[in-house]
Amino acid sequence: MTGLKVLLAGESWVSSATHFKGFDQFNSVTYHTGADPLLALLRERGFEVTFMPSHEAQRDFPQTVEALDAYDAVILSDIGANTLLLHPDTWLNSKRTPNRLIALRDWVAKGGALLMLGGYYSFQGINGAARYRGTAVEATLPVTCHPYDDRVEVPEGFTPVVTGDAAHPILAGLGGEWPPLLGFNEVMVKPDAEILATVSTEYGALPLLATRRHGEGRTVVWTSDVGPHWLPPEFVAWEGYGRLFEQMITWAVART
């Protein structure tokens, strides 16, 4: 299924560093993006991907169901709820603006496709600061967020465990052995969710890849990352990397 219009919001950050060299010091600022390999692969596979970095999403992310209709699928990846809740008009000028988390919920209910991918500002996130617990977006997902910092760091790596039917459209052609990952967000499964893959048993066989239907639409969660640091180079180099995320999107968009 090519030609699908996908909005990927998040996966960007700015770092500020102070460098000390004996008596002297200076500051530097660098801008980073974390989804470059994924974006390239999706575009190679025929998707029309709009990448909206976090600092742009605060202002430009669609505010209504009708505006979201411009896309077949929306991906939230490493972007906290505050970025979508606090439009500059509200944050700086105290103006009322639409709640974009509610717009996402209502858009999915009428047939939209929403994916949340893991990271330090996904689900509940670092220090609980991603803050999706109890939101309208969480209501659509296959999982519930914990009320605290949900990151699980696995520096030694863990091997994903495929638990779903190999014939499932998301898993088709991927095989049962995937490269290791270095961390994930811990979440709780909803009763009507379908779990397709988990983390290793050493880490409680917690959800890694799960799906759910919400109204007329579908949602998918991937609780690890799409790039550094939880997703190491060998996962990016794996021939199934692009296929996995391609099939997540195409399953979410399908309504049959």
Side-chain angles (χ1 to χ4, degrees), residues 22 26 42 48 80 138 141 202 220 230 239-240 251-252:
F26 67 94
L42 291 178
E48 296 181 26
E138 185 197 50
L141 300 179
E202 292 90 341
V220 179
W230 284 346
E239 62 181 7
W251 178 88

Side-chain angles (χ1 to χ4, degrees), residues 171-225:
L171 300 175
L174 294 174
E177 295 188 9
W178 299 3
L181 298 164
L182 303 178
F184 62 97
N185 298 91
E186 180 180 349
V187 292
M188 299 171 285
V189 181
K190 291 180 180 176
D192 58 347
E194 182 178 15
I195 306 301
L196 300 181
T198 70
V199 305
S200 61
T201 55
E202 292 90 341
Y203 286 87
L206 293 167
L208 175 63
L209 175 60
T211 68
R212 181 172 181 257
R213 299 169 190 263
H214 177 77
E216 298 298 317
R218 296 178 172 186
T219 60
V220 179
V221 299
W222 167 258
T223 62
S224 192
D225 217 327

